Amino acid sequence: MAVSEGFFGELAEKVGYPFDHIPPQAFITAAGGYGQASLCGTVGVAAACIGSVCDADTSKKLLAEISKWYKNAEFPMYQPEHDLQTTVAGSVMCDVSVGEFMEATGFEYGSTERKARCAGTAADVTGKIVEMLNAELA
């Protein structure tokens, strides 16, 4: 299976296995807390990324670390298009994380600003995953 787009596409080309066997479409449902405003999709995707290259004990350790970091981080850090107010979620749950942002800013769920916040948060979590995996596996 050829993967040709995004983060996994780059890893598939540069690293190969297991990333050349992961279809990016598998993560589409992560948006909006898996369509249920449950676990933030960035944390779920982080778990999948970590689990694809680490043993079970290391995966559990790193997922606990990223979850703790997520709960305390000020999102979004990455903001290429907006100058948004940052907020601390205090939870890995999508509805809490996004709700804190919407309450603090007054932006509606469907707003471009809320979408930019979540895109920035996804970039922030991706960067943190890379940092953690480099530290653990290098």
Side-chain angles (χ1 to χ4, degrees):
M1 168 183 294
V3 180
S4 61
E5 57 188 84
F7 179 69
F8 286 117
E10 290 181 32
L11 284 170
E13 290 176 23
K14 293 179 181 175
V15 178
Y17 183 82
F19 302 103
D20 59 351
H21 285 69
I22 301 172
Q25 301 85 349
F27 300 105
I28 290 171
T29 59
Y34 296 91
Q36 304 298 312
S38 62
L39 177 67
C40 175
T42 65
V43 177
V45 173
C49 292
I50 292 166
S52 70
V53 295
C54 296
D55 62 50
D57 290 338
T58 303
S59 294
K60 289 175 187 176
K61 178 184 89 167
L62 294 179
L63 184 57
E65 184 181 322
I66 200 148
S67 295
K68 182 179 178 180
W69 173 82
Y70 182 98
K71 290 176 187 177
N72 296 295
E74 292 188 22
F75 294 121
M77 297 169 218
Y78 180 69
Q79 299 189 42
E81 299 173 0
H82 298 276
D83 185 20
L84 300 171
Q85 177 179 337
T86 60
T87 55
V88 176
S91 173
V92 295
M93 299 302 290
C94 175
D95 63 336
V96 176
S97 182
V98 172
E100 289 291 330
F101 174 77
M102 292 185 332
E103 184 176 322
T105 63
F107 293 123
E108 297 292 323
Y109 185 79
S111 70
T112 58
E113 292 86 357
R114 195 280 311 154
K115 292 174 185 176
R117 182 262 182 202
C118 289
T121 300
D124 299 335
V125 173
T126 300
K128 185 66 174 175
I129 295 167
V130 170
E131 176 185 303
M132 290 169 54
L133 288 173
N134 283 339
E136 187 68 34
L137 302 175

